[in-house]
Amino acid sequence: MDMTILGCSGSLSAPDNPASGYLLRMADGREILMDVGPGVLAQLESLGSPGSVDVIFSHLHPDHCSDFPSLVVWQRFHPTQAAATRHTLLGPSISALHLGRASADHPSQVDDFSDILDVHSWHAPVLQDAPVAFDDISQGTVYPAHHIGATVLYAAPAVHPTESYMIRVEEQDGSSLVYSGDTAATGHLAALAAGADVLLCEATWGERDDGNNPPQMHLSGEEAGQAAAEAGVGRLIITHIPPWGDPEGALRGARRYYDGPVELARRGMTVSIGS
Ligand SMILES: [Zn+2]
Ligand SMILES: [Zn+2]
């Protein structure tokens, strides 16, 4: 697969960078849009493919989903490039209601977008303690498998104020990407990311959490580096740095714990994952 970063600004869009949105091009030809934050649809339009994407959400904070109603408009009404078939939407259990309200004409209405998208909820364990064995993941015994075409996806519960997930995306050949979404530190991150080729991990708090940040919310660069090292991933990409954040500090923090390749996510960057 390859991943093009449509936007990666943390918590809100920035002047030159939409908020969270990642386009995955899979080996079977499908395209999966992972999060749809503000500004992401315009970037997707520049690549020419909004009508043909499946959609997966880590969670439904506005910086991860607020361009979704516009994606619905494209897939439903574009005169020549509307969705030719129903695509898959995988997200939190509240997706149909929450996103349907965002697309509706009136506060009391819920837009039923099942004409264009087949909506499914992530299945993830509610476990206080994360498993540690990759085999548990690959056999689907701890993190149940989801399928979009030939792609296999797993979700683990994130620590965040709304229903949130970390996501593992795997090709048939085993090449794999793990996305932290938004989360505070949890053992599920290293468990889900075990052996992954790429860990795309948030580090909203910069180098380290100075103790003045809200609890149960985000990671620091140090915590991203710790998770990458524990999971033994091949490459770490730091993302979700807010416009007022400290990207260099996040890199410094990550490198303190992880000695593999680390870099910052950038809008427009394309990453090849696996063969
Ligand atoms: Zn966010
Ligand atoms: Zn969030």
Side-chain angles (χ1 to χ4, degrees):
M1 76 183 95
D2 67 38
M3 169 178 70
T4 296
I5 298 176
L6 304 173
C8 54
S9 178
S11 302
L12 67 165
S13 51
D16 58 352
N17 190 7
S20 297
Y22 307 91
L23 180 64
L24 310 180
R25 293 190 182 87
M26 308 308 298
D28 67 354
R30 294 185 86 123
E31 294 184 323
I32 300 174
L33 179 58
M34 186 166 72
D35 285 346
V36 198
V40 165
L41 189 71
Q43 294 297 312
L44 189 57
E45 287 177 55
S46 73
L47 299 177
S49 58
S52 61
V53 294
D54 301 289
V55 187
I56 60 177
F57 285 105
S58 63
H59 68 301
L60 301 179
H61 273 157
D63 59 313
H64 295 255
C65 75
S66 69
D67 261 9
F68 176 78
S70 300
L71 177 65
V72 169
V73 171
W74 183 293
Q75 293 202 339
R76 189 179 270 157
F77 296 118
H78 193 287
T80 59
Q81 298 175 35
T85 60
R86 285 169 86 221
H87 294 282
T88 297
L89 186 157
L90 258 173
S93 62
I94 55 174
S95 295
L97 178 61
H98 187 94
L99 296 169
R101 281 190 173 140
S103 289
D105 294 330
H106 188 276
S108 65
Q109 295 175 338
V110 177
D111 180 27
D112 176 6
F113 47 79
S114 60
D115 55 323
I116 50 169
L117 288 159
D118 190 14
V119 181
H120 296 274
S121 302
W122 291 117
H123 298 299
V126 182
L127 296 175
Q128 293 299 318
D129 299 317
V132 293
F134 176 69
D135 282 350
D136 288 343
I137 299 170
S138 60
Q139 293 169 9
T141 54
V142 172
Y143 303 118
H146 299 264
H147 300 271
I148 297 178
T151 304
V152 187
L153 306 100
Y154 306 89
V159 179
H160 203 54
T162 186
E163 183 186 347
S164 303
Y165 298 92
M166 301 175 280
I167 301 166
R168 183 177 179 117
V169 183
E170 280 194 3
E171 292 277 23
Q172 295 277 306
D173 66 1
S175 56
S176 51
L177 163 72
V178 172
Y179 172 45
S180 67
D182 286 7
T183 187
T186 163
H188 279 293
L189 179 54
L192 190 73
D197 294 298
V198 173
L199 173 60
L200 174 67
C201 190
E202 73 123 296
T204 309
W205 297 149
E207 185 169 355
R208 63 169 63 92
D209 186 350
D210 61 10
N212 293 318
N213 297 307
Q216 310 270 295
M217 186 77 77
H218 289 301
L219 295 168
S220 66
E222 288 188 344
E223 290 167 327
Q226 287 169 346
E230 187 180 341
V233 301
R235 180 177 178 183
L236 173 62
I237 300 175
I238 297 288
T239 192
H240 203 274
I241 306 292
W244 55 76
D246 179 10
E248 295 306 320
L251 276 180
R252 249 192 333 273
R255 286 180 174 138
R256 192 164 294 132
Y257 289 91
Y258 175 67
D259 59 9
V262 188
E263 64 199 303
L264 292 169
R266 301 183 310 276
R267 177 182 63 82
M269 170 181 172
T270 294
V271 181
S272 293
I273 300 164
S275 53

